[in-house]
Each structure stands twice: as structure tokens, then as C-alpha cells.
Amino acid sequence: MSASAALLLIRPRGSSATLTWLQMLASGVSTLLAFGVTILAIAFWNAPTDEPGYIVLSVALVGLLIVPLITLGSATARLAARSRDDRLATLRLLGATSARVRRIAVAEVTVIATFGALIGTALSVVLPFLLSLLTVYGRALDSSELWLPWWLSASLPPLMVAVAAVSGMLGLRQVVLSPLGVRTRQDAPRLSWLRLVAALAVLGIAVLVMQSASDAWGTVVVIIVLSVAVLAVMAVLGLVGPLIVSRLAGRRDRRTSDAARLIAARGIVDDPRTAWREVSALALATFVLIPSGSMLGYLNTIQNSASREIMTTDQLLMFADARTMVIALVAVSFLVVAWQIAITQTAAVIERRELYVALDRIGMPRRELNRARQLRVTMPANIAVLGSALAAATIAFWVVLMALITSPVFIIAIAVVLAAGLLLIRFGVASTNPVLDRVLTAPTRGE
């Protein structure tokens, strides 16, 4: 097969072009947010104080926010690699080897991510001026101090492109690259219950570590141990999430008589990894928000009581900056969720257009089709929020309990924020309704 034929097949057009633009914008948003996280982390690190808590805030900000950024980048890359199944099938049927098809798909992902990274890098020049509106250590940030070193600015875009390329390659490994396998989208084996066993084991060890932490270990050791425990639990959330989503959706599939719920449950069971990946950033935000928000509520009670006198000025300022970090985490996570929903739902409509056209032909109302799409996202989202909240409350049980007793307003605020995140997901799905309308009214819808 000639190179010109391959270029003709991979050239985006029609609905594929719409998805390409969304992927490019998502890559740009990921790069822009990566610049913002790095700038804010350096501002915490360089705070003019010897209080070690600022170092902890800096490391925690990077550690917690880099996960949703990589999640968005990897989800975008996987969609780019897997949403061209028609063209991949054509390439295989024309005689291209699976290795060549994989290289072409990964190259396409890399090119899209590169253009997006350039867009995000260009927009990042306004970040120092926007972030100068924040305060760190009780003083407003100076925009002239927020410019990143040239070597760091030059390193971030290639790093985001590399994440996209690797994610696209991993996404292709989940599809059997035979001529029939590509066309029928044969997936990897089903999820094993061993994921749940591993998750429970890691959660138990994390709880034990949290309960055993002592000042005798030293501040640095305690911080490292607790950070590793939290990151381990965050990792197993991504491991066990698809399994739980798949099992619960399968149970609903067998019991429901509602057509929209049946379609939603079948869609989740067919691809639980993607269903979880769409809401994984919300799961992360929930996992971090509950213990951190509870701690801030408890500290707020101390600040407003006679115990305030035992706290240093540096500690009081650090607590205020910790609130800034939590707000940044929630804002970035919700923004990532919004982008993921917009991209994945647009791709889902395009990839499943034959199903939606068939349902439309047999008379299923578009309102029910859209409700099925809503349920396919909100079901995993509810599981993600409740499951992550349970894991977070288990690890930080005493902190959550103290906040519930001493500052219940903060717990209510956490619940309101999480409800807003779930509402954002609903709006994200609703924003793609016009895409479904265009698919169902297209002259080339297969009639």
C-alpha cells in the first residue's frame, strides 16, 4: 500500500474532523493547565518562610493535579486511536500489517497532540498575569516572579505529547488489529475479581499506615509515608473502578425493563474501562476533597477558638493557602471532567451512529436516546463519587469525624461541591445533544 493511500485514509473529514478538533483543544487545555499547576507549585515552594508545610503543599499540588491532567491527555489519545476503526479496518484489508496500522494511528495521535500542545503553550503566556491575582503567604503574587525557567517551559509541551503518544499506543493494544478484529472492535479479556481483592488489600494497608503514623518517625518520613499511602489508594481506585461499574451495570441490565436504562447498562458492560475513565477525574476530586475539606474545617474551628494562640503566623497563613490549593484542585478536576465528557460523548455518538440510527428507525424518541446517553455517564459518576467518598472517609475517618462534630458547615459545603460536579456532568452530556441530532438527520445516515 502506498504512502499516499495511507495519508488519504487517515485524513480527518466530516465527523472525524469534529472529533479531531476536540482532541486538539483537549490537548491544549491539558498543556495550559500543566503550566498553571507548575507555576502555582513553584510559588508555594518559594514562599518566604521556613514552614515545611509549604513544601508539602507544593509537592501535593503537583502530585494530585498531575493525575487528572494525564487522565485527560490519555483519554483523548485513546479516543483518537480507537475512534478510527473504519479506516483502520480498511488499511488492514488493503494489506497493511498490524504494526504499520499501529504506527499510523500513533503518529496521528502525536500530530494532533503536538498542535494542541502548541496552542496551550501559546495561551500560557497570560497565566502569570492571571495567577498574580492570588495570594501566597499573605501577599499578592508578582507576575514577574511567575515566569517559568526556559528549560521547564520547553520541557512541558514535549512531555504532554509523549503522554498522548504512549496513551494512544496503549489504547490500540486493547483492540485486536486483525482485519476482522478492528472492524468488530474485539476487546481485551473481561475484568477479574482480583482487582477488588488487590484494592481491599491496599486500602487496608493504607488505613493501618494512617493509624500507625507517629511523630517519632520524623516529619519528612511521615509526609513521605502518608503521601505514598494516599497515592496507592488513588491508583487502586482506577484499578477497581471499572470492575465495580461493570458488575453493577450488568446487574441493572438483567433487572431493568426501561429501554433507556437497558441501553445505558449494555454500553457500560461493553466497555467499563472507558465508562470509568470518563469520570475518573471526578473520583479523584472526591477522594482528595473529603479529607482535605474536613481538615480545613477542623483547622478553621481551631483558628476561631482560643487555641488560635498556640498557632504561629506561618501556620495560619499556610492554612489559608491550603484552601487555595483545594479550590484549585476542585476547579481543575471539574474542568477536566467537563472536557472529557464533551470529547467522549461526541466520540460515542460518532462511533455508535449505526446503533442510534437503528433505534431512531424503530421509533425510539430522541428524548429517550438522550436519556440513555445521560444514564450511561451518570451511573458510573454516581459510583465514582460514592466509592471514592467511602475510601476517603475510611482512610481519614478521625479527621472526617472531627470535622463533622466541630465544623459541619464544611461537610455540607463538600456535599454541595460534589453535587455541582455531578450536575456538570449532566450539562456536559446535554451539550452534545446537537451532535446526535446531526447524526440522525444526516442525508448519509445509511438509508
Side-chain angles (χ1 to χ4, degrees), residues 12 58 116 148 184 200 246 272 290 299 309 323 327 377 385 397:
S58 177
L148 296 178
T184 58
L200 292 175
S246 175
I290 288 180
L299 294 175
E309 298 177 359
R323 282 193 290 268
I327 292 172
V377 177
V385 170
F397 175 75

PDB file of all heavy atoms in Angstrom, residues 12 58 116 148 184 200 246 272 290 299 309 323 327 377 385 397:
ATOM      1  N   PRO A  12      -8.459  13.509   8.414  1.00  0.00           N
ATOM      2  CA  PRO A  12      -9.757  13.710   9.079  1.00  0.00           C
ATOM      3  C   PRO A  12     -10.728  14.445   8.190  1.00  0.00           C
ATOM      4  O   PRO A  12     -10.369  15.371   7.481  1.00  0.00           O
ATOM      5  CB  PRO A  12      -9.384  14.545  10.318  1.00  0.00           C
ATOM      6  CG  PRO A  12      -8.108  15.223   9.958  1.00  0.00           C
ATOM      7  CD  PRO A  12      -7.391  14.283   9.034  1.00  0.00           C
ATOM      8  N   SER A  58       3.337  22.264  47.895  1.00  0.00           N
ATOM      9  CA  SER A  58       3.873  22.291  46.537  1.00  0.00           C
ATOM     10  C   SER A  58       3.906  20.901  45.925  1.00  0.00           C
ATOM     11  O   SER A  58       3.434  20.678  44.798  1.00  0.00           O
ATOM     12  CB  SER A  58       5.283  22.894  46.553  1.00  0.00           C
ATOM     13  OG  SER A  58       5.852  22.870  45.264  1.00  0.00           O
ATOM     14  N   GLY A 116      -2.095  20.651  19.605  1.00  0.00           N
ATOM     15  CA  GLY A 116      -2.768  21.091  20.821  1.00  0.00           C
ATOM     16  C   GLY A 116      -1.804  21.640  21.854  1.00  0.00           C
ATOM     17  O   GLY A 116      -2.080  22.656  22.506  1.00  0.00           O
ATOM     18  N   LEU A 148       8.173  30.780  34.247  1.00  0.00           N
ATOM     19  CA  LEU A 148       8.942  29.555  34.442  1.00  0.00           C
ATOM     20  C   LEU A 148      10.312  29.675  33.779  1.00  0.00           C
ATOM     21  O   LEU A 148      10.480  30.413  32.801  1.00  0.00           O
ATOM     22  CB  LEU A 148       8.196  28.361  33.833  1.00  0.00           C
ATOM     23  CG  LEU A 148       6.845  28.001  34.460  1.00  0.00           C
ATOM     24  CD1 LEU A 148       6.233  26.823  33.700  1.00  0.00           C
ATOM     25  CD2 LEU A 148       7.008  27.656  35.920  1.00  0.00           C
ATOM     26  N   THR A 184     -14.762  -5.326  14.166  1.00  0.00           N
ATOM     27  CA  THR A 184     -15.731  -5.719  15.185  1.00  0.00           C
ATOM     28  C   THR A 184     -15.322  -5.254  16.571  1.00  0.00           C
ATOM     29  O   THR A 184     -16.018  -5.553  17.537  1.00  0.00           O
ATOM     30  CB  THR A 184     -15.874  -7.247  15.205  1.00  0.00           C
ATOM     31  OG1 THR A 184     -14.594  -7.850  15.448  1.00  0.00           O
ATOM     32  CG2 THR A 184     -16.431  -7.766  13.888  1.00  0.00           C
ATOM     33  N   LEU A 200      -8.876  -3.883  48.098  1.00  0.00           N
ATOM     34  CA  LEU A 200      -9.164  -4.001  49.527  1.00  0.00           C
ATOM     35  C   LEU A 200      -7.875  -4.164  50.339  1.00  0.00           C
ATOM     36  O   LEU A 200      -7.753  -3.624  51.445  1.00  0.00           O
ATOM     37  CB  LEU A 200     -10.107  -5.180  49.777  1.00  0.00           C
ATOM     38  CG  LEU A 200     -11.537  -5.021  49.241  1.00  0.00           C
ATOM     39  CD1 LEU A 200     -12.338  -6.302  49.450  1.00  0.00           C
ATOM     40  CD2 LEU A 200     -12.232  -3.835  49.906  1.00  0.00           C
ATOM     41  N   SER A 246     -18.762  -2.208  35.987  1.00  0.00           N
ATOM     42  CA  SER A 246     -19.221  -3.272  35.102  1.00  0.00           C
ATOM     43  C   SER A 246     -20.209  -4.200  35.805  1.00  0.00           C
ATOM     44  O   SER A 246     -21.251  -4.556  35.236  1.00  0.00           O
ATOM     45  CB  SER A 246     -18.012  -4.066  34.601  1.00  0.00           C
ATOM     46  OG  SER A 246     -18.418  -5.171  33.822  1.00  0.00           O
ATOM     47  N   PRO A 272     -16.368  -1.109  30.166  1.00  0.00           N
ATOM     48  CA  PRO A 272     -16.352  -0.488  31.502  1.00  0.00           C
ATOM     49  C   PRO A 272     -15.142   0.395  31.737  1.00  0.00           C
ATOM     50  O   PRO A 272     -15.214   1.352  32.509  1.00  0.00           O
ATOM     51  CB  PRO A 272     -16.351  -1.699  32.448  1.00  0.00           C
ATOM     52  CG  PRO A 272     -15.806  -2.818  31.632  1.00  0.00           C
ATOM     53  CD  PRO A 272     -16.250  -2.573  30.234  1.00  0.00           C
ATOM     54  N   ILE A 290     -12.723  15.286  50.268  1.00  0.00           N
ATOM     55  CA  ILE A 290     -13.327  14.941  51.563  1.00  0.00           C
ATOM     56  C   ILE A 290     -12.331  15.052  52.717  1.00  0.00           C
ATOM     57  O   ILE A 290     -12.590  15.762  53.694  1.00  0.00           O
ATOM     58  CB  ILE A 290     -13.963  13.539  51.488  1.00  0.00           C
ATOM     59  CG1 ILE A 290     -15.224  13.610  50.638  1.00  0.00           C
ATOM     60  CG2 ILE A 290     -14.283  12.997  52.875  1.00  0.00           C
ATOM     61  CD1 ILE A 290     -15.950  12.307  50.482  1.00  0.00           C
ATOM     62  N   LEU A 299      -9.427  22.826  61.119  1.00  0.00           N
ATOM     63  CA  LEU A 299      -8.471  23.905  61.372  1.00  0.00           C
ATOM     64  C   LEU A 299      -9.175  25.257  61.474  1.00  0.00           C
ATOM     65  O   LEU A 299      -8.751  26.125  62.240  1.00  0.00           O
ATOM     66  CB  LEU A 299      -7.423  23.941  60.257  1.00  0.00           C
ATOM     67  CG  LEU A 299      -6.499  22.713  60.179  1.00  0.00           C
ATOM     68  CD1 LEU A 299      -5.584  22.817  58.962  1.00  0.00           C
ATOM     69  CD2 LEU A 299      -5.679  22.580  61.450  1.00  0.00           C
ATOM     70  N   GLU A 309      -4.105  30.822  69.653  1.00  0.00           N
ATOM     71  CA  GLU A 309      -2.895  31.389  70.225  1.00  0.00           C
ATOM     72  C   GLU A 309      -1.714  30.432  70.150  1.00  0.00           C
ATOM     73  O   GLU A 309      -0.561  30.867  70.202  1.00  0.00           O
ATOM     74  CB  GLU A 309      -3.152  31.791  71.674  1.00  0.00           C
ATOM     75  CG  GLU A 309      -4.235  32.861  71.825  1.00  0.00           C
ATOM     76  CD  GLU A 309      -4.526  33.181  73.280  1.00  0.00           C
ATOM     77  OE1 GLU A 309      -3.877  32.547  74.148  1.00  0.00           O
ATOM     78  OE2 GLU A 309      -5.386  34.042  73.539  1.00  0.00           O
ATOM     79  N   ARG A 323      -6.363  26.254  51.562  1.00  0.00           N
ATOM     80  CA  ARG A 323      -7.697  26.429  50.993  1.00  0.00           C
ATOM     81  C   ARG A 323      -7.608  26.776  49.509  1.00  0.00           C
ATOM     82  O   ARG A 323      -8.397  26.292  48.701  1.00  0.00           O
ATOM     83  CB  ARG A 323      -8.463  27.508  51.760  1.00  0.00           C
ATOM     84  CG  ARG A 323      -9.023  27.052  53.091  1.00  0.00           C
ATOM     85  CD  ARG A 323     -10.010  28.045  53.639  1.00  0.00           C
ATOM     86  NE  ARG A 323      -9.360  29.276  54.075  1.00  0.00           N
ATOM     87  CZ  ARG A 323      -8.934  29.494  55.314  1.00  0.00           C
ATOM     88  NH1 ARG A 323      -9.087  28.570  56.234  1.00  0.00           N
ATOM     89  NH2 ARG A 323      -8.358  30.635  55.634  1.00  0.00           N
ATOM     90  N   ILE A 327      -9.220  24.568  46.400  1.00  0.00           N
ATOM     91  CA  ILE A 327     -10.084  25.192  45.382  1.00  0.00           C
ATOM     92  C   ILE A 327      -9.513  24.958  43.984  1.00  0.00           C
ATOM     93  O   ILE A 327     -10.248  24.648  43.039  1.00  0.00           O
ATOM     94  CB  ILE A 327     -10.237  26.699  45.666  1.00  0.00           C
ATOM     95  CG1 ILE A 327     -11.033  26.905  46.959  1.00  0.00           C
ATOM     96  CG2 ILE A 327     -10.926  27.403  44.506  1.00  0.00           C
ATOM     97  CD1 ILE A 327     -11.073  28.343  47.430  1.00  0.00           C
ATOM     98  N   VAL A 377     -23.501   7.864  31.502  1.00  0.00           N
ATOM     99  CA  VAL A 377     -22.448   8.637  32.163  1.00  0.00           C
ATOM    100  C   VAL A 377     -22.738   8.815  33.654  1.00  0.00           C
ATOM    101  O   VAL A 377     -21.846   8.691  34.494  1.00  0.00           O
ATOM    102  CB  VAL A 377     -22.277  10.015  31.486  1.00  0.00           C
ATOM    103  CG1 VAL A 377     -21.235  10.847  32.217  1.00  0.00           C
ATOM    104  CG2 VAL A 377     -21.878   9.835  30.031  1.00  0.00           C
ATOM    105  N   VAL A 385     -18.278   8.832  42.720  1.00  0.00           N
ATOM    106  CA  VAL A 385     -18.360   9.750  43.859  1.00  0.00           C
ATOM    107  C   VAL A 385     -18.581   8.983  45.159  1.00  0.00           C
ATOM    108  O   VAL A 385     -17.879   9.207  46.160  1.00  0.00           O
ATOM    109  CB  VAL A 385     -19.484  10.784  43.628  1.00  0.00           C
ATOM    110  CG1 VAL A 385     -19.752  11.577  44.900  1.00  0.00           C
ATOM    111  CG2 VAL A 385     -19.106  11.725  42.494  1.00  0.00           C
ATOM    112  N   PHE A 397     -10.777   8.658  58.674  1.00  0.00           N
ATOM    113  CA  PHE A 397     -12.001   8.550  59.470  1.00  0.00           C
ATOM    114  C   PHE A 397     -12.030   9.568  60.603  1.00  0.00           C
ATOM    115  O   PHE A 397     -13.035  10.270  60.808  1.00  0.00           O
ATOM    116  CB  PHE A 397     -12.115   7.132  60.037  1.00  0.00           C
ATOM    117  CG  PHE A 397     -13.281   6.953  60.982  1.00  0.00           C
ATOM    118  CD1 PHE A 397     -14.580   6.863  60.501  1.00  0.00           C
ATOM    119  CD2 PHE A 397     -13.077   6.924  62.361  1.00  0.00           C
ATOM    120  CE1 PHE A 397     -15.653   6.698  61.356  1.00  0.00           C
ATOM    121  CE2 PHE A 397     -14.141   6.761  63.233  1.00  0.00           C
ATOM    122  CZ  PHE A 397     -15.434   6.650  62.733  1.00  0.00           C
TER     123      PHE A 397
END
